[in-house]
Amino acid sequence: MGAGEDTERAVRRITLTKPVSLEAGSDAAEYKAPNLLSRILSLFKDVRPGSDLSHFKVPPQFNMPKSQLQCYGESVYCFNEDMLRKCNNGKNPIDRFVAVVAWNISTLRPLTFGISPFNPILGETHHASAGSLNVLLEQVSHHPPVSALHATDEKENLEMIWCQQPIAKFYGTSVEVEVRGKRELRLSNHRETYVMNAPNLMFKFLPTPGAEWSGNLRIACHDSGLEAELRFKGLSFFGFGGNARSIKGKIFDSLSSKPLYEVNGQWDRTVTVKNIESGEVAVIYNAKENIWRLRTPTVQDPRSVWPSESAVVWSEVSQGILSKDWEAAKRGKRALEEKQREIAREMASRGETWVPKHFTFSHTKEGGWDCTPIHKTVPPSPIVVPK
């Protein structure tokens, strides 16, 4: 390593902020823009219903000081109760399946209307550790935006692989974001693989601005023949009907279609399962115990943090938002965008195409994406979540 590179690594700025949680006053809740509704209406005045919003650029006043990669990662490694370990410790397939349903619900975080994380740049990474769980994400495509996640816990002998592509559509009074792609959780001790999707995000402008999870979630374990179907519902258009942040669904044996449990509750409060045969009801998830006052990750060795790390890439913009220096934040975003355009021009002039560093990818018959990690395990990160 040369002296110049050593100096660059020594002075690299890293900005980490509080994870999104139920706690009032978290970073995600501190950056609401004033006169939000009128500003959003002005932003969308040239957008027609059904328009693809993949290329829409959000000014920093509408951003939280972190990348979408960090938000994805935090949903996995930021927790108060180790729900993944519960999945692994289940005594039988149904116990483990119920635990996986609970863990999946625990990855949901509160949505704040009017602010969003940064759209990751191509090649951006986020690497963090929580105990023996090591998590790595990479932005494998920018147009369309596709993020890949690989997490391993060698102590628990489990592995997670996600490939996600958000597709946003404008519908006049709302924007719905469909999160396409597949999530897998592998419990190698039990030779079980769980395949699941993600719920959609709904942002409503009228009559009352708001954001909520919506749509259907399906979890399947073909090794045990168990499946779950969950539906996320919010308030009606006028805000009177429905139950905010509610989850309803069932767990059933896919071979016989026999229902085993009813799932009911609110993902930001408690969720229960009812044994259909015995009538017994049990709480499987308590949001306040799991995602309340989550701890901010810390850096143990700044010199080992990769230059592609989200907390490095977006540090200048995040600092501008944290200090409410919007001009500095805009300059930082413009500099990143211009750097990306310059890299793209240079690669095009050489006839090169960009290749992800940590994943390979392929396209499905339906036009989706499949991402496969290059390495078998994820190494420990210098960015860690305090115990």
Side-chain angles (χ1 to χ4, degrees):
M1 179 186 298
E5 183 179 354
D6 184 74
T7 302
E8 179 186 353
R9 294 185 68 182
V11 299
R12 185 177 298 143
R13 176 177 286 185
I14 304 166
T15 302
L16 294 167
T17 57
K18 286 183 180 180
V20 178
S21 69
L22 287 179
E23 178 184 7
S26 65
D27 283 332
E30 291 179 1
Y31 298 99
K32 293 180 181 178
N35 301 317
L36 187 56
L37 184 57
S38 62
R39 298 180 71 183
I40 287 181
L41 290 175
S42 67
L43 285 174
F44 290 128
K45 65 180 181 180
D46 296 324
V47 182
R48 297 182 178 180
S51 298
D52 185 346
L53 300 182
S54 301
H55 306 291
F56 182 73
K57 297 185 183 301
V58 179
Q61 290 93 331
F62 290 82
N63 284 126
M64 62 177 71
K66 65 173 74 234
S67 169
Q68 181 65 68
L69 286 191
Q70 292 171 280
C71 291
Y72 285 148
E74 288 172 0
S75 71
V76 171
Y77 64 72
C78 282
F79 48 79
N80 293 323
E81 186 178 7
D82 194 342
M83 307 289 287
L84 273 175
R85 183 168 298 181
K86 285 187 175 182
C87 299
N88 219 17
N89 292 344
K91 295 180 180 179
N92 53 59
I94 187 62
D95 285 351
R96 290 191 292 274
F97 193 90
V98 171
V100 169
V101 171
W103 165 76
N104 194 288
I105 295 170
S106 79
T107 64
L108 299 175
R109 296 294 186 268
L111 303 171
T112 303
F113 184 81
I115 57 172
S116 64
F118 307 125
N119 292 324
I121 64 172
L122 187 63
E124 179 182 333
T125 62
H126 180 51
H127 183 205
S129 296
S132 55
L133 177 67
N134 303 313
V135 182
L136 172 64
L137 299 100
E138 182 177 15
Q139 192 70 10
V140 299
S141 173
H142 190 60
H143 297 298
V146 180
S147 306
L149 177 149
H150 186 211
T152 56
D153 188 327
E154 295 185 73
K155 182 178 178 181
E156 292 293 323
N157 201 18
L158 60 82
E159 182 179 27
M160 213 180 305
I161 301 173
W162 292 5
C163 188
Q164 302 195 148
Q165 178 187 357
I167 305 292
K169 295 288 186 178
F170 180 64
Y171 293 106
T173 61
S174 65
V175 170
E176 184 172 23
V177 182
E178 178 188 357
V179 185
R180 296 181 183 175
K182 182 173 63 175
R183 298 179 174 186
E184 287 187 355
L185 172 63
R186 301 172 181 174
L187 305 181
S188 298
N189 290 343
H190 307 288
R191 297 181 180 179
E192 293 174 346
T193 297
Y194 300 80
V195 180
M196 60 209 79
N197 65 324
N200 298 339
L201 295 85
M202 178 67 75
F203 299 92
K204 296 181 179 179
F205 307 133
L206 296 171
T208 303
E212 58 191 11
W213 297 100
S214 66
N216 299 318
L217 171 65
R218 188 179 186 89
I219 304 172
C221 179
H222 298 300
D223 306 294
S224 64
L226 296 171
E227 292 191 25
E229 293 177 349
L230 306 177
R231 180 166 178 76
F232 292 78
K233 295 183 66 178
L235 298 175
S236 67
F237 179 80
F238 292 104
F240 300 114
N243 191 359
R245 301 179 177 180
S246 71
I247 298 177
K248 290 184 180 294
K250 62 180 179 179
I251 298 172
F252 59 96
D253 184 332
S254 63
L255 299 178
S256 64
S257 297
K258 178 184 177 181
L260 304 174
Y261 288 90
E262 293 178 351
V263 183
N264 191 25
Q266 293 170 279
W267 64 262
D268 63 333
R269 297 184 184 181
T270 59
V271 178
T272 63
V273 291
K274 178 182 178 181
N275 188 311
I276 293 177
E277 189 171 292
S278 68
E280 181 181 356
V281 177
V283 176
I284 63 169
Y285 177 65
N286 186 318
K288 191 169 184 180
E289 291 178 356
N290 197 66
I291 58 171
W292 175 264
R293 294 184 177 177
L294 296 174
R295 296 175 291 277
T296 304
T298 60
V299 182
Q300 287 191 334
D301 181 10
R303 294 163 64 90
S304 298
V305 177
W306 298 335
S308 59
E309 164 61 44
S310 298
V312 174
V313 170
W314 294 99
S315 180
E316 181 181 348
V317 187
S318 295
Q319 288 293 329
I321 293 174
L322 289 166
S323 62
K324 292 184 171 56
D325 187 342
W326 305 119
E327 288 304 315
K330 288 179 182 178
R331 287 195 300 271
K333 290 191 80 171
R334 282 196 298 267
L336 276 176
E337 292 166 357
E338 180 53 41
K339 185 177 181 181
Q340 287 293 293
R341 286 191 288 266
E342 182 180 348
I343 293 173
R345 286 194 296 266
E346 291 177 354
M347 293 186 67
S349 67
R350 296 193 297 265
E352 298 176 352
T353 56
W354 184 83
V355 178
K357 185 176 182 180
H358 305 283
F359 295 85
T360 61
F361 63 83
S362 59
H363 299 286
T364 66
K365 294 179 180 178
E366 298 77 19
W369 292 62
D370 272 337
C371 300
T372 304
I374 293 175
H375 303 290
K376 185 177 180 180
T377 60
V378 178
S381 170
I383 297 176
V384 300
V385 180
K387 295 182 179 180

